[in-house]
Amino acid sequence: MMLKFLRLLKILRVAVQYGLDEIAIAELKKPRIAKIIDTVFFWRDLSAPRGVRLRMALEELGPIFVKFGQVLSTRRDLIPGDLVEELSRLQDRVPPFDTELAIAQIRKSLGAHPDELFATFERTPVASASIAQVHFATLKDGKQVAVKVLRPGMKKTIDEDVALMQTAAEMVERLWADSKRLKPKEVVAEFDKYLHDELDLMREAANASQLRRNFANSELLLVPEMFWDYCSSSVIVMERMHGIPVSQIDRLIEAGVDLKKLSSDGVEIFFTQVFRDGFFHADMHPGNILVSVDPASFGRYIALDFGIVGTLNDFDKDYLSQNFLAFFRRDYKRVAEAHIESGWAPKDTRVDELESAVRACCEPIFDRPLKDISFGQILLRLFQTSRRFNVEVQPQLVLLQKTLLNIEGLGRQLDPDLDLWKTAKPYLENWMAEQVGLKGMWQRMKAEAPHYAHVIPQLPRMLHKALAQQAEPAPDNSELLKVLIGEQQRTNRLLSLVIYFALAFGGGVVAVQLYLRWHHLG
């Protein structure tokens, strides 16, 4: 209890020192409180912008609060733009923990000392973050690997700090006039889930395995292999990847990498993950991306750190593809209609008014290179429009928005003249053609064939049962019997049509099955 109290005192001291109260004061229900606070804390220097002061406060409070700031930086629908821009600069500047602690964690998780498990194990970590740190090692068969070890005691630290955040969120809801829209308690709950997911390294290993399988035959992206015999919830061992960090432009140029191709490949990788797979790497900042210079895979991206991934269902993918294509074609009416049809905007929203608002947001960015536009500003304006029309921001798209901003930053580094719209439009058009054209219909028929192969043999019994039920006369009611006979005759005609259709459809399914079997044997 004493430690929690001291931690709370430190948080209050940092909040006062950096004037975090002033950030809230602007929205307080009773602004006169601002004058009182300024008088009491007259000694503070609040000359720095509020976003800078918020970032510095979170950095001083430690890695959990840094993580919280990073999560907040993705919520442009909730946080003012100047704060988001500054929070996006937060980095995990965390010193490594003692190697002996890492060795103890490995021994506890894998049942043996690293010197017994590996041919070599480097004591000095090569990377350290708030959740884990990485050591290089070599398996006994000679394969080079990276060993990721969870930072000890993280669950207790996270639980204690998140509990304090929940208390603060409750206070904000009482004091802040805009609290209903900001939903501070929901944001903290989302952050709590996000952190506890990251604490399970097996989840990260499974994410990497899925992404590697999705791009198994790709000429664009490499994903490290996971060595499952050495993986647990607190330690994972993966293939060591060699490459140049994507942010080191001079080294890439010196190695002969085509930056324009690299930038367009990045766009294709992003849209492939989103629309083909509905499973995407959601932490694509430059620190997690290398570029291979190995002759066998020269110029390919290498993805690292899979603790955060995003998923989309078929409805999300269809909705997004329609909106992206409508944006690319400048069909803002279709964008407005899609929002209303999906239920994300109220049914009574006027299409023409929403269309006009979206046009004002998006029209200025067309026919301009990436260096002259900012998706951050566009998203901010779109979110402002969303609030005006009471459009619900979907939680499953928050990570997608964050990833798109990462792609923007990466594109600015590699090829400032990249036209993201022209690069992405052909890919999306091809994807839509595959989904709604003959190829898409054929793929869906193949997927549904096993189901119908089970149902079709039951149709005669089901039809006989339905006919028998229709043919049963009502006793002692001749008028009702006449009506039923007439209904039965009409039903029989309808059922005949159904039978013909079922037989024709069944024949088609059988033909599909025969074709698939012949194709498989061939």
Side-chain angles (χ1 to χ4, degrees), residues 211-405:
L211 193 62
R212 177 181 171 86
R213 187 161 61 252
N214 290 347
F215 284 83
N217 301 314
S218 172
E219 295 295 323
L220 303 176
L221 180 66
L222 296 173
V223 179
E225 177 186 1
M226 291 290 159
F227 296 96
W228 293 105
D229 291 340
Y230 302 91
C231 290
S232 71
S233 60
S234 56
V235 177
I236 57 175
V237 177
M238 69 194 81
E239 176 186 2
R240 180 177 174 180
M241 308 301 286
H242 299 273
I244 299 174
V246 73
S247 58
Q248 298 183 10
I249 305 298
D250 292 339
R251 288 184 61 192
L252 292 174
I253 295 174
E254 184 180 350
V257 176
D258 185 344
L259 297 187
K260 289 186 178 294
K261 182 179 184 302
L262 196 64
S263 63
S264 61
D265 286 350
V267 174
E268 182 173 346
I269 290 171
F270 170 73
F271 282 99
T272 300
Q273 291 183 58
V274 171
F275 293 108
R276 187 193 69 184
D277 305 327
F279 185 91
F280 59 94
H281 191 309
D283 200 14
M284 295 179 64
H285 63 74
N288 288 338
I289 303 175
L290 306 178
V291 178
S292 174
V293 290
D294 184 272
S297 56
F298 186 82
R300 295 190 203 176
Y301 282 94
I302 300 172
L304 302 173
D305 195 346
F306 309 94
I308 310 174
V309 299
T311 57
L312 301 171
N313 59 32
D314 289 340
F315 176 84
D316 294 330
K317 290 192 292 184
D318 180 67
Y319 167 82
L320 286 170
S321 61
Q322 289 191 43
N323 272 277
F324 271 112
L325 280 176
F327 274 125
F328 294 154
R329 294 167 179 167
R330 305 191 189 189
D331 186 355
Y332 305 115
K333 181 179 181 180
R334 180 57 198 148
V335 173
E337 290 173 344
H339 275 71
I340 298 171
E341 291 169 3
S342 67
W344 291 4
K347 293 296 183 184
D348 58 354
T349 302
R350 286 187 54 175
V351 173
D352 58 332
E353 291 183 355
L354 183 55
E355 173 191 357
S356 177
V358 173
R359 180 183 295 109
C361 290
C362 300
E363 191 65 21
I365 69 176
F366 282 99
D367 299 325
R368 301 173 66 185
L370 192 56
K371 65 183 179 182
D372 295 335
I373 62 176
S374 169
F375 281 108
Q377 293 300 320
I378 297 301
L379 283 176
L380 181 60
R381 294 181 64 184
L382 282 173
F383 286 137
Q384 291 171 343
T385 299
S386 298
R387 288 196 292 271
R388 174 186 163 195
F389 288 91
N390 295 318
V391 175
E392 296 184 10
V393 177
Q394 303 301 303
Q396 69 271 29
L397 302 184
V398 170
L399 285 177
L400 184 65
Q401 296 157 4
K402 171 180 179 289
T403 305
L404 186 57
L405 291 175

Side-chain angles (χ1 to χ4, degrees), residues 423-468:
T423 305
K425 183 179 177 182
Y427 179 85
L428 275 176
E429 288 179 334
N430 290 335
W431 184 85
M432 283 293 288
E434 291 179 356
Q435 295 301 304
V436 301
L438 291 176
K439 184 176 179 180
M441 184 177 68
W442 177 250
Q443 293 297 328
R444 287 191 291 274
M445 285 185 65
K446 288 196 296 183
E448 293 290 340
H451 172 70
Y452 287 113
H454 173 72
V455 172
I456 287 175
Q458 302 180 48
L459 281 177
R461 176 173 55 82
M462 297 167 64
L463 291 172
H464 179 269
K465 183 178 179 181
L467 288 171

